[in-house]
Amino acid sequence: MYRPESSLFSRLLLRVAIVLTVGAAILMSAAWLYVRTAADEAYDRLLQGAALQMLEGLTVEDGKLVVNLPSSAFELLGLAGRDRIFYRVIDAGGRTMTGYEDLTPDIDLAGARPGPVLINMRYRGEPLRVIVAGKAISDPSTSGWAHVVIGQTTQARQALASELSTRALALVAAMSALALAGTALAIRYSLRPVSALGETLVARDPQDLTPLAVDVPRELSPFVSSINHFVRRLDERVKLLQRFIADSAHQIRTPLTALSAQVSLIDESNLPESDRRHLERVRNRAGELARFTNQLLNHAMVIHRFDSAQLAPLDLTRVARKAFRAAIPITIDPDIVVSFEAPDEDVVVLGDELSLREAIVNVIDNSLRHGTVSRLEVRVVHTPEFGLVEVEDDGPGIPEADWGQVTRRFVTSKSGEGSAGLGFAISSEVAAALGGELSFRSRNEEHGFTVVLKLPLRSKGKS
């Protein structure tokens, strides 16, 4: 199952965003509680002030308790313009002197004697904030405790709490956004050494197996040390592989050459017919073994060179001409007509000369051994975008159904035989490594079977 990659930057930013979100939620909850408490305290002070002023308006005149409601008390309560006010003044006997007689708080009035008591209740279907305050009446004609009950609806305090909460929310959101933006910049700046290390690795030449020498933070030092340790081990392995290929080429080719020489020195004139047939088979098998060994070593060489060699501009005509001379043996059958054609203009491609020449040699050699009857033509063709090396022979060719198989390793291009090789595999891998391809063209009335090595021309901006 495919899992999309997430960057270290996005992971860190997501975690910081979660922390900031949780912190903002906690701050908003605390701010909401504080704002609500502050709004209640502000409007409760108005209620207390109004209750005290009403209590001061209670006096005893002619032996009777009378109430003179001060206008300042209602002016004070009028500061909350959205709210409705309900009040009740109760004498020492528990009778309502003025106000709403059904305004009865669910508390014992005696509890308000030490100090005003604030409660919440519902009155006539509306939520009220109610204050109950008491005043001791000490007069010979009347004595006891008189009480004032004032109720105020809660729209104003709720509006104040909502307004303050909105402002606090906007402030916290703005600060959180600024903090997140600042954190993103800080994370991006802190991760610059990681990006610089990646760019250094990408920019390194494939042949450069020296340890990295870059300044990194202490946290990245183990990572760089591990890379350098791996590079040193890889360099050792590459050198071992180079020595193995060189030693194998020498140790294998030398006895094979000696074997072929010894077989050629055998005098066949005194051998019976059956022994001569056996000798011919030995000679053929020794030749096949020598060719196959050379192909294996050449294949290893090609793979290694593309892992380490630096590509350079090459004249395809010059490389193809060298390959042609190397592939055509001196002892070729004189009845076979061979030719080489090339355009007048330069055909410049980007590649490795040794590997490219080996690819062309393999195509020509394969044509000579398995295709050519009496004619072999090698052509270099220049097109607007590609350089082509065409190797054409007058043999039967390869069936089109087998074209996709013959470029695989150890698959023969020779119909009806069990021999296998690496010729087309090497050529195909070289072409693919250089951005081209190896293809085939069927024979027709005008032309024979053709193998085409197609390579992209070097762009003017490339070096």
Side-chain angles (χ1 to χ4, degrees), residues 12-24:
L12 291 174
L13 192 61
L14 177 61
R15 285 158 176 75
V16 171
I18 292 174
V19 172
L20 289 177
T21 301
V22 173

Side-chain angles (χ1 to χ4, degrees), residues 327-338 368 372 376:
I328 304 299
I330 299 176
T331 58
I332 189 172
D333 189 338
D335 293 331
I336 297 178
V337 178
V338 297
L368 279 174
T372 301
L376 173 67

Side-chain angles (χ1 to χ4, degrees), residues 290-300 362 365 420-423 426:
R291 289 193 299 272
F292 181 64
T293 301
N294 286 331
Q295 286 183 337
L296 282 175
L297 295 174
N298 290 337
H299 187 253
N362 276 279
D365 181 72
L422 290 168
I426 294 175

Side-chain angles (χ1 to χ4, degrees), residues 69-367:
L69 296 178
S71 59
S72 59
F74 294 97
E75 291 175 356
L76 189 62
L77 294 173
L79 294 175
R82 298 183 181 183
D83 290 333
R84 297 173 61 193
I85 305 298
F86 305 92
Y87 67 93
R88 180 186 176 191
V89 180
I90 305 173
D91 63 10
R95 294 179 296 274
T96 300
M97 298 179 64
T98 184
Y100 296 83
E101 191 169 355
D102 59 344
L103 183 61
T104 305
D106 190 18
I107 62 170
D108 185 4
L109 296 179
R113 294 175 182 177
V117 177
L118 290 159
I119 62 171
N120 295 315
M121 63 175 286
R122 295 192 69 84
Y123 177 69
R124 296 184 180 182
E126 294 188 72
L128 293 184
R129 183 68 169 170
V130 176
I131 185 171
V132 180
K135 179 180 181 180
I137 305 298
S138 57
D139 189 85
S141 58
T142 178
S143 62
W145 283 85
H147 296 86
V148 172
V149 180
I150 303 176
Q152 183 183 31
T153 56
T154 59
Q155 287 89 343
R157 66 182 63 208
Q158 289 177 355
L160 178 61
S162 177
E163 181 181 357
L164 294 178
S165 297
T166 302
R167 293 180 180 180
L169 174 62
L171 180 61
V172 171
M175 293 303 297
S176 299
L178 289 175
L180 185 62
T183 302
L185 292 176
I187 293 175
R188 182 69 71 183
Y189 180 79
S190 299
L191 292 178
R192 286 180 62 185
V194 179
S195 301
L197 179 59
E199 292 172 358
T200 301
L201 290 172
V202 171
R204 280 173 72 92
D205 191 280
Q207 301 181 69
D208 187 1
L209 294 179
T210 59
L212 291 173
V214 292
D215 294 329
V216 294
R218 183 173 61 252
E219 291 78 7
L220 290 180
S221 295
F223 182 62
V224 175
S225 299
S226 299
I227 292 177
N228 287 337
H229 177 65
F230 173 77
V231 167
R232 284 192 292 269
R233 292 179 58 190
L234 179 61
D235 186 37
E236 293 173 359
R237 296 294 179 183
V238 170
K239 291 177 180 178
L240 286 174
L241 178 60
Q242 291 174 340
R243 286 198 296 269
F244 171 76
I245 293 175
D247 293 343
S248 299
H250 176 73
Q251 297 296 331
I252 296 176
R253 284 170 174 165
T254 299
L256 285 176
T257 302
L259 176 62
S260 299
Q262 292 295 325
V263 171
S264 65
L265 293 176
I266 297 177
D267 186 6
E268 302 181 30
S269 60
N270 297 324
L271 295 177
E273 182 64 26
S274 60
D275 290 342
R276 283 200 294 268
R277 287 198 301 268
H278 290 311
L279 179 61
E280 183 63 24
R281 291 176 183 175
V282 170
R283 184 180 293 112
N284 292 337
R285 291 295 181 260
E288 289 181 4
L289 180 59
R291 289 193 299 272
F292 181 64
T293 301
N294 286 331
Q295 286 183 337
L296 282 175
L297 295 174
N298 290 337
H299 187 253
M301 179 270 296
V302 167
I303 293 175
H304 168 68
R305 287 189 65 82
F306 276 117
D307 286 338
S308 59
Q310 185 73 27
L311 301 183
L314 301 174
D315 182 0
L316 185 59
T317 300
R318 182 177 61 83
V319 176
R321 196 183 300 277
K322 287 184 177 181
F324 177 79
R325 292 171 180 171
I328 304 299
I330 299 176
T331 58
I332 189 172
D333 189 338
D335 293 331
I336 297 178
V337 178
V338 297
S339 63
F340 182 89
E341 300 177 12
D344 295 332
E345 69 270 24
D346 292 337
V347 184
V348 182
V349 298
L350 199 63
D352 172 61
E353 181 173 351
L354 184 59
S355 301
L356 181 56
R357 185 178 63 191
E358 185 64 29
I360 301 173
V361 166
N362 276 279
V363 174
I364 299 174
D365 181 72
N366 193 84
S367 179

